[in-house]
Tab-separated table of all heavy atoms in Angstrom:
chain	number	residue	atom	x	y	z
A	602	PRO	N	-24.309	0.691	16.178
A	602	PRO	CA	-23.183	-0.120	15.750
A	602	PRO	C	-22.867	0.009	14.254
A	602	PRO	O	-23.788	0.011	13.418
A	602	PRO	CB	-23.620	-1.547	16.077
A	602	PRO	CG	-24.619	-1.411	17.163
A	602	PRO	CD	-25.344	-0.110	16.886
A	603	LEU	N	-21.605	0.165	13.939
A	603	LEU	CA	-21.111	0.303	12.576
A	603	LEU	C	-20.128	-0.781	12.229
A	603	LEU	O	-19.210	-1.057	13.002
A	603	LEU	CB	-20.437	1.659	12.383
A	603	LEU	CG	-19.586	1.845	11.108
A	603	LEU	CD1	-20.465	1.817	9.854
A	603	LEU	CD2	-18.764	3.145	11.183
A	604	LEU	N	-20.292	-1.397	11.051
A	604	LEU	CA	-19.290	-2.267	10.472
A	604	LEU	C	-18.740	-1.542	9.258
A	604	LEU	O	-19.494	-1.263	8.319
A	604	LEU	CB	-19.873	-3.618	10.074
A	604	LEU	CG	-18.971	-4.508	9.230
A	604	LEU	CD1	-17.671	-4.875	9.947
A	604	LEU	CD2	-19.730	-5.794	8.835
A	605	LEU	N	-17.456	-1.225	9.283
A	605	LEU	CA	-16.780	-0.523	8.190
A	605	LEU	C	-15.938	-1.521	7.417
A	605	LEU	O	-15.149	-2.265	7.997
A	605	LEU	CB	-15.910	0.596	8.761
A	605	LEU	CG	-15.054	1.371	7.759
A	605	LEU	CD1	-15.919	2.147	6.775
A	605	LEU	CD2	-14.122	2.365	8.501
A	606	VAL	N	-16.052	-1.528	6.060
A	606	VAL	CA	-15.386	-2.496	5.245
A	606	VAL	C	-14.709	-1.745	4.065
A	606	VAL	O	-15.352	-0.875	3.474
A	606	VAL	CB	-16.352	-3.548	4.679
A	606	VAL	CG1	-15.646	-4.528	3.743
A	606	VAL	CG2	-17.056	-4.303	5.780
A	607	HIS	N	-13.469	-2.104	3.752
A	607	HIS	CA	-12.807	-1.453	2.626
A	607	HIS	C	-11.691	-2.336	2.083
A	607	HIS	O	-10.994	-3.027	2.822
A	607	HIS	CB	-12.200	-0.110	3.044
A	607	HIS	CG	-12.250	0.958	1.986
A	607	HIS	ND1	-12.796	2.195	2.209
A	607	HIS	CD2	-11.888	0.961	0.680
A	607	HIS	CE1	-12.727	2.956	1.118
A	607	HIS	NE2	-12.182	2.191	0.189
A	608	GLY	N	-11.524	-2.320	0.729
A	608	GLY	CA	-10.396	-2.976	0.119
A	608	GLY	C	-9.152	-2.146	0.274
A	608	GLY	O	-9.191	-0.934	0.113
A	609	MET	N	-8.015	-2.764	0.563
A	609	MET	CA	-6.795	-2.040	0.855
A	609	MET	C	-5.989	-1.650	-0.351
A	609	MET	O	-4.933	-1.035	-0.257
A	609	MET	CB	-5.941	-2.883	1.815
A	609	MET	CG	-6.675	-3.210	3.133
A	609	MET	SD	-5.741	-4.285	4.221
A	609	MET	CE	-4.649	-3.091	5.034
A	610	ALA	N	-6.546	-1.971	-1.560
A	610	ALA	CA	-5.921	-1.547	-2.797
A	610	ALA	C	-6.946	-0.825	-3.695
A	610	ALA	O	-6.814	-0.843	-4.917
A	610	ALA	CB	-5.244	-2.715	-3.516
A	611	ASP	N	-7.949	-0.222	-3.076
A	611	ASP	CA	-9.032	0.441	-3.809
A	611	ASP	C	-8.471	1.701	-4.463
A	611	ASP	O	-7.981	2.618	-3.802
A	611	ASP	CB	-10.147	0.789	-2.848
A	611	ASP	CG	-11.435	1.235	-3.555
A	611	ASP	OD1	-11.337	1.736	-4.678
A	611	ASP	OD2	-12.517	1.072	-2.947
A	612	ASP	N	-8.577	1.774	-5.819
A	612	ASP	CA	-8.073	2.970	-6.519
A	612	ASP	C	-9.214	3.805	-7.048
A	612	ASP	O	-9.000	4.697	-7.821
A	612	ASP	CB	-7.107	2.566	-7.643
A	612	ASP	CG	-7.743	1.738	-8.725
A	612	ASP	OD1	-8.894	1.301	-8.519
A	612	ASP	OD2	-7.110	1.499	-9.768
A	613	ASN	N	-10.406	3.510	-6.650
A	613	ASN	CA	-11.600	4.320	-7.001
A	613	ASN	C	-11.956	5.157	-5.791
A	613	ASN	O	-11.727	6.370	-5.741
A	613	ASN	CB	-12.738	3.405	-7.444
A	613	ASN	CG	-14.002	4.182	-7.793
A	613	ASN	OD1	-14.037	5.386	-7.751
A	613	ASN	ND2	-15.078	3.482	-8.149
A	614	VAL	N	-12.582	4.555	-4.793
A	614	VAL	CA	-12.756	5.239	-3.537
A	614	VAL	C	-11.516	4.883	-2.690
A	614	VAL	O	-11.437	3.810	-2.134
A	614	VAL	CB	-14.065	4.793	-2.809
A	614	VAL	CG1	-14.187	5.483	-1.449
A	614	VAL	CG2	-15.258	5.097	-3.675
A	615	LEU	N	-10.585	5.771	-2.630
A	615	LEU	CA	-9.280	5.480	-2.034
A	615	LEU	C	-9.446	5.062	-0.568
A	615	LEU	O	-10.299	5.553	0.154
A	615	LEU	CB	-8.356	6.682	-2.146
A	615	LEU	CG	-8.101	7.214	-3.550
A	615	LEU	CD1	-7.149	8.392	-3.518
A	615	LEU	CD2	-7.607	6.131	-4.488
A	616	PHE	N	-8.592	4.116	-0.153
A	616	PHE	CA	-8.586	3.609	1.229
A	616	PHE	C	-8.466	4.724	2.247
A	616	PHE	O	-8.898	4.618	3.384
A	616	PHE	CB	-7.490	2.572	1.378
A	616	PHE	CG	-7.516	1.795	2.655
A	616	PHE	CD1	-8.709	1.307	3.182
A	616	PHE	CD2	-6.345	1.534	3.342
A	616	PHE	CE1	-8.730	0.572	4.351
A	616	PHE	CE2	-6.354	0.777	4.506
A	616	PHE	CZ	-7.560	0.309	5.026
A	617	THR	N	-7.876	5.846	1.814
A	617	THR	CA	-7.734	7.012	2.691
A	617	THR	C	-9.092	7.470	3.260
A	617	THR	O	-9.137	7.978	4.391
A	617	THR	CB	-7.085	8.186	1.925
A	617	THR	OG1	-5.938	7.717	1.271
A	617	THR	CG2	-6.749	9.352	2.806
A	618	ASN	N	-10.127	7.297	2.489
A	618	ASN	CA	-11.464	7.670	2.985
A	618	ASN	C	-11.756	6.944	4.298
A	618	ASN	O	-12.314	7.552	5.211
A	618	ASN	CB	-12.555	7.337	1.963
A	618	ASN	CG	-12.632	8.345	0.839
A	618	ASN	OD1	-13.326	9.327	0.920
A	618	ASN	ND2	-11.896	8.069	-0.257
A	619	SER	N	-11.439	5.661	4.358
A	619	SER	CA	-11.744	4.898	5.550
A	619	SER	C	-10.700	5.113	6.645
A	619	SER	O	-11.036	5.114	7.850
A	619	SER	CB	-11.895	3.402	5.233
A	619	SER	OG	-13.161	3.149	4.659
A	620	THR	N	-9.415	5.234	6.288
A	620	THR	CA	-8.437	5.467	7.344
A	620	THR	C	-8.690	6.796	8.046
A	620	THR	O	-8.484	6.922	9.250
A	620	THR	CB	-6.991	5.424	6.772
A	620	THR	OG1	-6.865	6.376	5.731
A	620	THR	CG2	-6.680	4.040	6.242
A	621	LYS	N	-9.073	7.802	7.302
A	621	LYS	CA	-9.404	9.079	7.916
A	621	LYS	C	-10.608	8.944	8.834
A	621	LYS	O	-10.638	9.506	9.954
A	621	LYS	CB	-9.667	10.142	6.819
A	621	LYS	CG	-9.813	11.544	7.333
A	621	LYS	CD	-9.928	12.571	6.189
A	621	LYS	CE	-10.069	14.003	6.786
A	621	LYS	NZ	-10.207	14.984	5.680
A	622	LEU	N	-11.567	8.150	8.423
A	622	LEU	CA	-12.776	7.909	9.263
A	622	LEU	C	-12.402	7.162	10.538
A	622	LEU	O	-12.877	7.482	11.607
A	622	LEU	CB	-13.838	7.139	8.488
A	622	LEU	CG	-15.079	6.729	9.249
A	622	LEU	CD1	-15.848	7.984	9.734
A	622	LEU	CD2	-15.992	5.842	8.408
A	623	MET	N	-11.545	6.142	10.377
A	623	MET	CA	-11.104	5.416	11.579
A	623	MET	C	-10.502	6.347	12.619
A	623	MET	O	-10.814	6.260	13.811
A	623	MET	CB	-10.035	4.358	11.167
A	623	MET	CG	-10.488	3.235	10.273
A	623	MET	SD	-9.052	2.256	9.782
A	623	MET	CE	-9.609	1.664	8.162
A	624	ALA	N	-9.637	7.218	12.128
A	624	ALA	CA	-8.947	8.121	13.071
A	624	ALA	C	-9.973	9.058	13.711
A	624	ALA	O	-9.911	9.342	14.955
A	624	ALA	CB	-7.883	8.921	12.323
A	625	GLU	N	-10.914	9.597	12.948
A	625	GLU	CA	-11.913	10.522	13.501
A	625	GLU	C	-12.766	9.849	14.550
A	625	GLU	O	-13.082	10.406	15.604
A	625	GLU	CB	-12.795	11.068	12.382
A	625	GLU	CG	-12.091	12.000	11.412
A	625	GLU	CD	-11.848	13.378	12.020
A	625	GLU	OE1	-12.432	13.691	13.049
A	625	GLU	OE2	-11.075	14.149	11.409
A	626	LEU	N	-13.165	8.583	14.261
A	626	LEU	CA	-14.004	7.864	15.231
A	626	LEU	C	-13.205	7.512	16.473
A	626	LEU	O	-13.726	7.586	17.624
A	626	LEU	CB	-14.581	6.585	14.616
A	626	LEU	CG	-15.628	6.807	13.494
A	626	LEU	CD1	-16.009	5.477	12.857
A	626	LEU	CD2	-16.861	7.491	14.029
A	627	GLN	N	-11.928	7.160	16.299
A	627	GLN	CA	-11.104	6.850	17.474
A	627	GLN	C	-10.852	8.058	18.343
A	627	GLN	O	-10.862	7.963	19.582
A	627	GLN	CB	-9.781	6.250	16.963
A	627	GLN	CG	-9.950	4.851	16.361
A	627	GLN	CD	-8.773	4.447	15.443
A	627	GLN	OE1	-7.852	5.231	15.211
A	627	GLN	NE2	-8.843	3.252	14.909
A	628	ASN	N	-10.663	9.198	17.725
A	628	ASN	CA	-10.454	10.433	18.459
A	628	ASN	C	-11.698	10.781	19.297
A	628	ASN	O	-11.594	11.399	20.368
A	628	ASN	CB	-10.153	11.609	17.537
A	628	ASN	CG	-8.761	11.517	16.939
A	628	ASN	OD1	-7.883	10.832	17.494
A	628	ASN	ND2	-8.552	12.178	15.798
A	629	ARG	N	-12.884	10.383	18.823
A	629	ARG	CA	-14.109	10.637	19.539
A	629	ARG	C	-14.431	9.558	20.552
A	629	ARG	O	-15.422	9.654	21.301
A	629	ARG	CB	-15.285	10.745	18.545
A	629	ARG	CG	-15.309	12.037	17.739
A	629	ARG	CD	-16.337	11.947	16.588
A	629	ARG	NE	-16.601	13.244	16.022
A	629	ARG	CZ	-15.866	13.866	15.130
A	629	ARG	NH1	-14.735	13.289	14.746
A	629	ARG	NH2	-16.199	15.025	14.632
A	630	GLY	N	-13.653	8.450	20.559
A	630	GLY	CA	-13.945	7.364	21.430
A	630	GLY	C	-15.122	6.504	20.972
A	630	GLY	O	-15.705	5.764	21.743
A	631	THR	N	-15.456	6.620	19.649
A	631	THR	CA	-16.572	5.885	19.135
A	631	THR	C	-16.098	4.486	18.681
A	631	THR	O	-15.228	4.352	17.838
A	631	THR	CB	-17.173	6.615	17.907
A	631	THR	OG1	-17.585	7.930	18.286
A	631	THR	CG2	-18.375	5.854	17.355
A	632	GLN	N	-16.706	3.475	19.208
A	632	GLN	CA	-16.358	2.099	18.869
A	632	GLN	C	-17.011	1.705	17.561
A	632	GLN	O	-18.142	2.139	17.244
A	632	GLN	CB	-16.812	1.114	19.972
A	632	GLN	CG	-16.092	1.359	21.314
A	632	GLN	CD	-14.574	1.127	21.246
A	632	GLN	OE1	-14.112	0.191	20.520
A	632	GLN	NE2	-13.818	1.927	21.940
A	633	PHE	N	-16.315	0.863	16.759
A	633	PHE	CA	-16.878	0.377	15.503
A	633	PHE	C	-16.168	-0.931	15.187
A	633	PHE	O	-15.110	-1.233	15.738
A	633	PHE	CB	-16.717	1.388	14.388
A	633	PHE	CG	-15.279	1.713	14.086
A	633	PHE	CD1	-14.608	1.125	13.032
A	633	PHE	CD2	-14.579	2.682	14.834
A	633	PHE	CE1	-13.271	1.426	12.734
A	633	PHE	CE2	-13.262	3.005	14.536
A	633	PHE	CZ	-12.605	2.373	13.517
A	634	GLU	N	-16.758	-1.685	14.276
A	634	GLU	CA	-16.152	-2.904	13.790
A	634	GLU	C	-15.541	-2.643	12.431
A	634	GLU	O	-16.059	-1.817	11.665
A	634	GLU	CB	-17.168	-4.041	13.724
A	634	GLU	CG	-17.721	-4.404	15.107
A	634	GLU	CD	-18.682	-5.592	15.064
A	634	GLU	OE1	-18.483	-6.483	14.203
A	634	GLU	OE2	-19.650	-5.578	15.869
């Protein structure tokens, strides 16, 4: 089980890092929180 957390205005580690991960996990059918 994974809990993924990110600020939606992060200008250091851009939110794109997590949105890309969300899509990759969804394409694999991997559930996460």
